[in-house]
Amino acid sequence: MLEIRWHSRAGQGAVTGAKGLADVIAGTGKEVQAFAFYGSAKRGAAMTAYNRIDENPILNHEKFMNPDYILVIDPGLTYIADICANEKPTTKYIITTHLSKEEFLESKPELKNKEVYILDCIKLSMEAFGKSIPNAPMLGAFLKVSQSLDLEFFLESFKKVLGKKLPQKIIDANMEVIRKAYNEVK
């Protein structure tokens, strides 16, 4: 089973990202879960979202997991939340930061011997949407790091998911920022 934990602040789109990823993966015939855990339900409050993906029915509905991927879309949470909780030796981290990888690892030494990828999802979302909604760039980074789905397949499937609720201009911006993040994650 593949398990993903998203660290975010309410309003940054982690729940939407987790559900969008689940919608696309469900279309491949796999079993999926997407859910969230909120502390305070206020915009800006720390929260986590989760995905589980498997070939078989998923019977576990608990929030506890040993994630294969930890996606941190708010850089401040890297320093105030226990993002390493319940990690596996093979857990991969994708972290939003404006720092270089070297600067970031100096600021967070406990991640030095881990598989860490960085990308400035906030900057990319500001360029694409004019506001900080870093979930779409994180999806692009996740696709590249995990190689779980072909990028073009994901984009075509995700267009259909977004097409249910959003105008074409926003859908196009999402496609562009996902592709850009896919190509820029390090």
Side-chain angles (χ1 to χ4, degrees):
M1 179 179 322
L2 183 71
E3 296 181 313
I4 304 163
R5 185 174 67 222
W6 301 64
H7 289 269
S8 174
R9 294 192 184 274
Q12 290 182 312
V15 174
T16 303
K19 287 181 178 181
L21 179 62
D23 284 347
V24 171
I25 291 174
T28 69
K30 292 185 178 179
E31 298 291 323
V32 295
Q33 288 180 350
F35 57 98
F37 179 75
Y38 298 87
S40 157
K42 297 177 185 170
R43 184 172 186 80
M47 53 87 53
T48 47
Y50 305 86
N51 289 105
R52 285 194 179 95
I53 303 163
D54 203 354
E55 299 289 334
N56 301 309
I58 301 170
L59 303 177
N60 179 359
H61 296 281
E62 300 296 324
K63 76 173 187 159
F64 177 81
M65 65 171 50
N66 299 107
D68 298 285
Y69 293 90
I70 295 175
L71 314 179
V72 183
I73 67 175
D74 185 279
L77 294 176
T78 305
Y79 303 101
I80 63 170
D82 185 4
I83 65 167
C84 299
N86 304 311
E87 69 180 354
K88 298 178 184 178
T90 57
T91 298
K92 295 179 175 103
Y93 292 82
I94 307 173
I95 303 197
T96 298
T97 181
H98 67 281
L99 301 172
S100 71
K101 192 169 191 175
E102 295 74 28
E103 291 170 324
F104 173 75
L105 291 173
E106 279 299 314
S107 74
K108 193 74 174 160
E110 60 269 34
L111 291 176
K112 280 189 177 178
N113 295 320
K114 314 274 185 206
E115 194 168 343
V116 176
Y117 299 86
I118 64 164
L119 181 68
D120 194 343
C121 293
I122 292 177
K123 178 183 170 199
L124 291 173
S125 69
M126 292 297 290
E127 292 170 357
F129 310 113
K131 56 185 172 180
S132 179
I133 305 176
N135 60 345
M138 185 56 77
L139 284 169
F142 170 74
L143 291 170
K144 175 69 173 268
V145 171
S146 70
Q147 295 293 300
S148 57
L149 291 169
D150 174 72
L151 177 63
E152 297 307 319
F153 171 80
F154 180 83
L155 292 173
E156 285 305 311
S157 300
F158 199 51
K159 264 188 221 179
K160 293 173 187 164
V161 170
L162 295 177
K164 297 174 187 174
K165 326 176 191 180
L166 298 173
Q168 191 62 44
K169 177 181 172 184
I170 301 297
I171 294 170
D172 292 344
N174 272 278
M175 298 304 108
E176 182 180 321
V177 78
I178 289 169
R179 186 180 304 278
K180 192 171 187 179
Y182 182 94
N183 291 321
E184 290 184 14
V185 68
K186 298 175 183 126

